[in-house]
Amino acid sequence: MAPKSLALELYANADELVDHHFMNQMREQDATPVPTDPSKPRFTLVVGPSPFSMPRGWEFFLTSPYEGASYISTVLHNAGYPVKIIDVRYDLDPLKTAYDQIIGQTDVLGVCTFEDNFPFCRELMAKVREAEPNMPIIAGGSLATSVPHVFMKDTAADIVVVSEGEITILELMESYTAGKWSRDLPNIRGICYRTPEGEAKRTRARGQMMDLDALPRMRLDLWPQYHSPMGLQPQIISSYSRGCKMDCSFCYRTTPQVRAKSQEKMDKDMDWLKSQYGIDFCFFVDLTFSSHRGQTIEMCDVIKDYDIRWTCLTRCADMDVPRVNAMRDSGCDIILYGVESLGTDVLREARKGSSENLTVRAMRTTFDAGVRFGSLLIVGLPNESEESLGHMVEFAETYNHVTRVKYLSAMPGTTIYKNALASGQIRSEIDHLNWLSVEQALHEDEFLNVSGLSEKVCRDAYKRIYDAYQPGPVMEFRHYPEHFQYFHPNPDDAQERSTSYAGEGWRAEFSSGAGPLAPGSDRFTLDKCADPEIAAAGSSLMDCGAKKMEPLVTVGDA
């Protein structure tokens, strides 16, 4: 039986009559949307900031529409609700900008949560609650799913949606519109909610949809970028599947069970994205795009008809010549592999189901097919030694194929997180969630040192790997927000295949770009959020971005 290290409710199936009712509703309203009804409650969905920086050529990832918010807003729009998305991912003062677009302008607030935006979510909800005490606030997304108890205890959220949200949000809003929440909430599955007395309650799990073909075509015109002077950028973040067959110790999955769209549904979605929005590049964020050979080839047969370039995430063990050839022929630009480490003991502890031999084999297979190989690496996994880390650095510098390196993050809900809580490396859940909001994915980041290696060894390795990056897939990205920040110019062009792809000096101006840290982020550094010995092990040698911030008004007073 497959391992189940995540919360057991995530492994349930949304297969009851009410689930099929709303899946059928989604299908029908995708074909014929209900006209927007101004008498229905106005719904606003907020997408908050992330501190993440992205390497040169990947900046689109920070600004593109993505599936979670797109699907939630689309199913509500198709059901006739007035819907607005507020996107403050790269705003100079995201709290104020979001607040100003909410108060007096919506009836129900939805908040998208990520592992690195907890302070923003908590403070926005608190300010909205103070200004409009009766406005329902619904939190959903990966962070709310991983720690719903934190949101119910320490935020002003009225409801937390656990796991997938499309069915649940339709049921919630139908009940709210009818004025029946007090009766219905105890029976709406997959949520935490507050009773009229303020007591937090949890309902039965809803689980994952059995049929992803019920999902609608995404209405990207609901995003504010669509209506901006630059228009919608032609890159999209999408998928054909949800879930992952693996159980890595460091990875959180809101949908751990594997579900996939049919070829027919994939074709319908691709046609919509291409014809309606002119999409020319797609980042498929399926956790393991090529898990099943036949299915991979079927999806590539669909994609190749739409003349787009694309990239995806997958495992080294799930690549062979038929798959990589199909991916190349359908426009795949670069395949991102979860290499993480080359150390045998590291990979075993992380439950990766991989090895250095599998990594080398996948790399050669990918290169031989004429597709770029992108390594995703982690510095500081348990059992990493100075020798194994040094070997990974040499591997990165030899091939210059890295697309991302990060210090290990203890992501809420994962085995790494649970172990760190139990051992006292995490002082409290709130402290840790606050601290995650300042991780920029730069080598000067603070980090939670669970490997036992010295801070200097980890930082030196990170910097060398960071300098071994290859170009991203979108080198002519033209939708930079005016206040994007840029990091670490690097005159080293790396190998000839990098300059052939991106030109000379491709990272001479900057190696990474990102939105600014939210005002007040300096409150959440390790010296304020961890015990002194934990902070010293991962933040002594250099100052992270939050420590370098100018004195600012705190977020709560902005």
Side-chain angles (χ1 to χ4, degrees), residues 297 374 544:
I297 293 172
C544 67

Side-chain angles (χ1 to χ4, degrees), residues 121-381:
C121 295
R122 181 168 62 166
E123 291 165 24
L124 177 66
M125 289 188 281
K127 287 175 69 68
V128 170
R129 172 65 70 241
E130 182 181 3
E132 299 203 18
N134 297 319
M135 180 187 293
I137 302 176
I138 304 172
S142 56
L143 183 60
T145 294
S146 65
V147 287
H149 56 284
V150 172
F151 277 82
M152 296 308 293
K153 180 178 182 293
D154 294 290
T155 79
D158 296 294
I159 291 175
V160 171
V161 176
V162 176
S163 191
E164 290 176 334
E166 292 89 0
I167 293 174
T168 305
I169 197 64
L170 284 172
E171 189 172 6
L172 282 170
M173 289 303 293
E174 182 178 285
S175 174
Y176 179 73
T177 302
K180 297 180 179 179
W181 263 13
S182 59
R183 184 196 72 181
D184 292 346
L185 287 183
N187 300 310
I188 294 178
R189 297 180 358 265
I191 64 169
C192 298
Y193 70 97
R194 298 188 196 282
T195 66
E197 297 74 34
E199 184 182 1
K201 296 281 189 178
R202 186 164 191 160
T203 65
R204 288 191 300 122
R206 184 183 298 277
Q208 292 181 231
M209 279 192 287
M210 303 295 287
D211 182 8
L212 295 189
D213 284 8
L215 291 168
R217 295 164 294 178
M218 292 186 287
R219 291 293 302 259
L220 304 184
D221 48 294
L222 295 172
W223 285 83
Q225 295 93 312
Y226 181 84
H227 306 282
S228 71
M230 287 187 293
L232 188 73
Q233 62 197 66
Q235 295 87 32
I236 182 65
I237 299 168
S238 186
S239 70
Y240 78 83
S241 67
R242 293 178 177 178
C244 182
K245 64 185 182 183
M246 301 305 295
D247 189 49
C248 299
S249 65
F250 54 84
C251 180
Y252 188 74
R253 291 91 63 208
T254 58
T255 53
Q257 301 184 96
V258 179
R259 303 279 189 267
K261 299 175 183 176
S262 66
Q263 269 188 293
E264 293 75 20
K265 171 60 173 170
M266 182 69 166
D267 186 54
K268 184 178 180 181
D269 286 350
M270 293 300 301
D271 181 68
W272 172 260
L273 292 171
K274 185 75 174 182
S275 63
Q276 292 294 314
Y277 305 111
I279 298 303
D280 62 16
F281 184 89
C282 185
F283 187 168
F284 290 108
V285 288
D286 309 71
L287 292 177
T288 48
F289 184 93
S290 64
S291 282
H292 305 286
R293 180 191 292 167
Q295 186 177 66
T296 303
I297 293 172
E298 287 177 354
M299 291 301 160
C300 289
D301 284 343
V302 172
I303 297 169
K304 71 181 181 184
D305 290 336
Y306 291 97
D307 188 29
I308 67 166
R309 293 166 52 250
W310 57 280
T311 187
C312 68
L313 305 161
T314 198
R315 300 174 62 242
C316 292
D318 293 332
M319 190 52 61
D320 55 24
V321 172
R323 276 179 273 204
V324 75
N325 285 348
M327 295 166 77
R328 175 200 62 210
D329 294 344
S330 58
C332 186
D333 180 293
I334 181 172
I335 302 171
L336 308 187
Y337 290 92
V339 174
E340 325 306 356
S341 174
L342 298 179
T344 301
D345 292 339
V346 182
L347 295 171
R348 183 184 299 115
E349 176 73 15
R351 302 194 294 268
K352 276 293 298 179
S354 187
S355 67
E356 182 175 354
N357 286 341
L358 285 172
T359 295
V360 172
R361 186 186 72 181
M363 181 177 67
R364 288 174 177 165
T365 300
T366 305
F367 282 156
D368 288 348
V371 181
R372 293 192 295 146
F373 178 98
S375 288
L376 306 175
L377 303 177
I378 298 175
V379 170
L381 281 162

Side-chain angles (χ1 to χ4, degrees), residues 502-521:
E504 294 183 359
W506 62 273
R507 56 183 173 183
E509 294 184 28
F510 63 96
S511 286
S512 295
L517 285 170
S521 293

Side-chain angles (χ1 to χ4, degrees), residues 70 131 146 394 410 418 447 519 546 555:
S70 297
S146 65
E394 292 171 1
K418 295 170 187 174
F447 60 96
V555 176

Side-chain angles (χ1 to χ4, degrees), residues 40 100 125 127 134 171 235 273 317-318 364 373 379 388 412-413 426 451 456 473 480 492 531 541 548:
K40 286 188 171 183
D100 289 346
M125 289 188 281
K127 287 175 69 68
N134 297 319
E171 189 172 6
Q235 295 87 32
L273 292 171
D318 293 332
R364 288 174 177 165
F373 178 98
V379 170
S388 64
I426 291 175
S451 69
K456 184 176 189 309
Y480 293 106
D492 182 6
D531 291 330
L541 298 182
K548 295 179 180 178

